Amino acid sequence: MLLLAVDTATPAVTVALHDGESVLAESNRVDARRHGELLLPSVDKVLAEAGLKLDAVTGIVVGVGPGPYTGLRVGLVTASTFASVLGVPVHGLCTLDGLAYAAGTAGVEGPFVVATDARRKEVYWARYEDPRTRVGEPAVDRPADIAEQVAGLPAVGQGAVLYPDVFTDARAPEHQSAGALAALAAERLAAGAEFLPPTPLYLRRPDAQVPKNYKVVTPQ
C-alpha cells in the first residue's frame, strides 16, 4: 500500500505519503491564497523525500471539506486527476475527521470539538466523542450561535483559535495534516470501511449568485 493524501479545504496545503503503517514524507504549507501554486510542488517534494515516483501510488486520499469553494476544489480536482491517470481508487474523507484524528495523536481524547475557519465570521464545526467518532454531521454557524453547544469542551482547528471567547479551551493542532488524514484512511481501509466520494462538501451556497430581475436584452 502506498497512499498519497492531499487536503486543500483549509488554509493549509498539505500532502503526505503513507505506506499503510507510517507516514513516509509530509509537506505542510499554510497559505490561503496559493493552493493552486503550492499543491503540485508539494506532491513532488514528498515523492522526492520518500525516493518514490508517482506511479508507485496505489490509492489517493483527499479531504472533501467542508471548506471554501476555491481552495477545496484544487485538492479534489488534483486527486481525481491523479486517480484517473494512475488507475487507482480515490478515497474521500471529511476534513474535520482528519483534524480530529490528528488531535488524538496530540493527546486530545474527547469529547471535543473541531472548528475551522469558514470566513464570513463563521466556522465549520463538528463534535467528536473521541478522535475517530464524530457526533452528527458537520455544520456551518456563527460561533456565538453554538456557544452553549461547545461550552467547556476542548477545541482544535483554526476556528477555535480565531474565536477564543467561544472556544475557551483551544488546543493543537490548528491546521490540517495530510499525514493524519492518510493514517485515518489506512485504518479504515484495513477495516473495510466505506469512504466518501471525491466531491466537495460546501455546506452553503457559493458567493456568486445569478442576479434576480436582470434585464434581458434581445437583438432587434
Side-chain angles (χ1 to χ4, degrees):
M1 179 187 296
L2 183 64
L3 300 175
L4 173 65
V6 302
D7 198 327
T8 59
T10 71
V13 179
T14 178
V15 179
L17 283 172
H18 196 286
D19 66 0
E21 296 183 359
S22 61
V23 175
L24 302 180
E26 184 171 8
S27 172
N28 297 295
R29 298 282 299 276
V30 178
D31 191 329
R33 298 178 181 274
R34 298 177 63 210
H35 291 90
E37 296 177 46
L38 295 175
L39 183 56
L40 291 180
S42 296
V43 171
D44 289 341
K45 178 182 177 183
V46 298
L47 287 168
E49 287 184 2
L52 297 167
K53 295 185 180 297
L54 185 61
D55 59 9
V57 170
T58 61
I60 309 294
V61 180
V62 62
V64 302
Y69 175 76
T70 302
L72 178 55
R73 66 178 180 172
V74 171
L76 286 166
V77 169
T78 301
S80 295
T81 300
F82 280 159
S84 178
V85 170
L86 296 172
V88 300
V90 55
H91 309 293
L93 286 173
C94 174
T95 294
L96 302 184
D97 290 355
L99 270 162
Y101 189 90
T105 303
V108 181
E109 296 180 354
F112 63 93
V113 175
V114 175
T116 61
D117 183 17
R119 304 174 185 172
R120 304 185 199 172
K121 298 182 179 179
E122 294 178 330
V123 292
Y124 297 116
W125 71 285
R127 178 170 171 164
Y128 290 78
E129 281 300 319
D130 59 59
R132 295 174 177 81
T133 309
R134 175 162 32 91
V135 180
E137 297 299 318
V140 57
D141 290 289
R142 288 182 177 273
D145 294 340
I146 60 172
E148 291 186 4
Q149 299 178 63
V150 303
L153 293 175
V156 304
Q158 190 181 37
V161 175
L162 289 173
Y163 302 99
D165 291 345
V166 173
F167 302 101
T168 56
D169 186 9
R171 303 187 187 183
E174 179 179 350
H175 296 291
Q176 175 69 307
S177 159
L181 196 72
L184 176 60
E187 281 192 11
R188 292 189 176 182
L189 282 168
E194 294 185 357
F195 289 84
L196 297 173
T199 55
L201 181 61
Y202 291 133
L203 299 187
R204 66 186 180 200
R205 294 180 182 276
D207 291 330
Q209 300 286 336
V210 176
K212 295 180 179 179
N213 302 319
Y214 60 88
K215 183 178 180 180
V216 178
V217 178
T218 56
Q220 296 293 331

